Amino acid sequence: MQKPDNISKAKAPGREGKVPEMARQLRVPSLDPHFFILEEDRKNLERFAQMSGRHPVNILITGNQGCGKSTLVRQFACIHNRPMATFQVGLLLESGQLFGQQRLKEGETYYHEFLFPRAIQTPGCVVHLEEINRSESPHALNELFSVLSEDRSIWVDELGFVEVAPGVIFFATMNEGEQFTGTDALDAALKDRFYRIHLEYLPQAVEREVLERKTGLDTNTANQVLTLVNKIRENRELAISVSIRHSLMIAELVSHGASLREALVYSLQISRDTLESLLLSIHVATAQTETDRGAYSLYVP
Ligand SMILES: Nc1ncnc2c1ncn2[C@@H]1O[C@H](COP(=O)(O)OP(=O)(O)OP(=O)(O)O)[C@@H](O)[C@H]1O
Ligand SMILES: [Mg+2]
């Protein structure tokens, strides 16, 4: 198995003078000791890590809002001791914006290089592209094609050839609702360059453990929270999506002494009437309706 233990200390070639600044920004993220993923996803992430030692690997993580996409990328970087940098692709307006910009200092213009070129030139770096499908302008994605494709290099007038360093892994994340349509050539070309991991909401037993571990709730109370949360999730008329982030928010309020009712009112956009009928129905036994996707295990080193 690949052991890029030195990668976090690696320097981008030819940019030694800027390393202290880079080192501050390109950090190995810290571990979330309570993060669970599907066993199958964990195994395949190991494979991707191994493969990245031999050739470039791009991974697209899809899933609903707040289902753990960003945390998974950080967790991967931490477990493999790789530096990581995140870029909000959704905010890009035009091409060139990732690499740097002309600035003015004492009447002179100079080119200020951004973190992106440094990150992709750092061996083993995990480069996280957030909301890759949300870019304001398709032109802004043009430069990404070059670095994500086989040749892995791009010409930038101000920087020359920028080559992706060995072992760099690109993770792109996007919310499920806004999938690549496949009708747009640009979208299809991007999609074509990625392996894909799709994250689902956790089964109740696993999510309960997450709530217990992260908020200190006891098993019974965590179950109460989740029974209610799952009722809201299942109710299509309500059209409220309750993410894991949200169930954690609710559980945390409860663990700080709030009643279930309060926690819901303060965490969700839900009318009083709806809430009352939901609270009534919590006493009715619910059938588990989860489809079994296999075993979940802790994703820690
Ligand atoms: N599988 C999981 N195990 C433990 N905690 C989780 C899990 N999935 C999500 N969480 C927690 O839920 C919260 C939201 O996760 P995260 O920010 O990674 O979601 P996301 O999918 O990136 O959200 P968004 O769509 O808003 O970008 C975090 O606090 C995270 O730790
Ligand atoms: Mg995210």
Side-chain angles (χ1 to χ4, degrees):
M1 201 172 83
Q2 189 208 17
K3 282 219 163 150
D5 283 333
N6 298 321
I7 278 170
S8 55
K9 294 164 204 126
K11 297 173 181 178
R15 299 186 201 285
E16 283 75 10
K18 292 178 179 172
V19 163
E21 186 194 339
M22 182 177 74
R24 265 206 311 276
Q25 291 168 308
L26 286 180
R27 286 242 188 92
V28 177
S30 51
L31 187 80
D32 177 345
H34 313 298
F35 187 72
F36 287 79
I37 63 168
L38 198 60
E39 184 68 24
E40 200 180 30
D41 290 344
R42 195 180 61 73
K43 282 190 188 144
N44 280 292
L45 280 164
E46 293 314 304
R47 293 182 181 122
F48 295 144
Q50 287 171 19
M51 284 154 54
S52 75
R54 303 177 61 180
H55 61 77
V57 177
N58 309 322
I59 303 153
L60 173 66
I61 303 182
T62 56
N64 285 315
Q65 207 167 24
C67 69
K69 300 181 293 294
S70 301
T71 314
L72 175 58
V73 182
R74 281 199 300 276
Q75 201 76 348
F76 176 91
C78 175
I79 286 172
H80 292 278
N81 197 24
R82 290 165 178 256
M84 173 177 162
T86 299
F87 303 92
Q88 300 293 336
V89 177
L91 299 178
L92 297 178
L93 293 171
E94 57 196 40
S95 62
Q97 271 189 326
L98 276 171
F99 287 82
Q101 76 184 170
Q102 295 291 346
R103 287 192 179 167
L104 195 65
K105 193 179 184 184
E106 291 159 12
E108 304 253 339
T109 57
Y110 70 101
Y111 187 74
H112 178 79
E113 186 184 334
F114 289 158
L115 183 64
F116 185 75
R118 301 187 207 168
I120 66 175
Q121 290 176 105
T122 301
C125 192
V126 169
V127 180
H128 177 199
L129 307 168
E130 281 238 59
E131 301 200 343
I132 192 160
N133 54 325
R134 284 250 195 105
S135 172
E136 292 287 323
S137 152
H139 298 297
L141 296 178
N142 283 350
E143 60 212 16
L144 280 178
F145 286 154
S146 314
V147 295
L148 293 170
S149 65
E150 301 299 290
D151 57 329
R152 300 252 146 181
S153 66
I154 186 169
W155 173 266
V156 180
D157 284 344
E158 295 83 354
L159 298 172
F161 261 115
V162 178
E163 282 190 57
V164 178
V168 168
I169 293 196
F170 288 91
F171 277 91
T173 50
M174 67 179 211
N175 282 350
E176 166 146 79
E178 303 123 344
Q179 286 180 1
F180 289 111
T181 57
T183 50
D184 186 329
L186 194 74
D187 288 349
L190 251 190
K191 188 185 176 188
D192 212 42
R193 287 163 164 73
F194 286 91
Y195 284 101
R196 183 174 171 214
I197 294 179
H198 181 72
L199 294 184
E200 303 271 5
Y201 285 137
L202 297 169
Q204 178 160 337
V206 181
E207 191 170 359
R208 192 204 68 225
E209 195 163 342
V210 170
L211 297 195
E212 287 183 50
R213 284 165 172 263
K214 290 195 175 180
T215 70
L217 278 191
D218 62 74
T219 308
N220 262 345
T221 318
N223 259 331
Q224 276 184 356
V225 168
L226 285 177
T227 306
L228 198 48
V229 159
N230 283 331
K231 277 186 173 296
I232 300 173
R233 285 173 178 161
E234 285 159 16
N235 190 327
R236 281 163 195 262
E237 279 170 34
L238 285 177
I240 300 175
S241 84
V242 189
S243 63
I244 301 172
R245 182 185 291 126
H246 255 128
S247 62
L248 274 166
M249 286 165 63
I250 296 164
E252 195 166 10
L253 260 183
V254 172
S255 80
H256 279 82
S259 65
L260 254 181
R261 181 193 309 259
E262 276 175 302
L264 286 166
V265 167
Y266 283 93
S267 307
L268 301 176
Q269 308 266 326
I270 188 166
S271 81
R272 201 191 159 87
D273 282 355
T274 318
L275 183 62
E276 294 307 332
S277 62
L278 276 165
L279 287 170
L280 273 177
S281 66
I282 195 177
H283 299 295
V284 182
T286 50
Q288 286 299 88
T289 50
E290 290 151 9
T291 44
D292 192 3
R293 292 184 76 220
Y296 278 77
S297 67
L298 266 178
Y299 183 46
V300 295

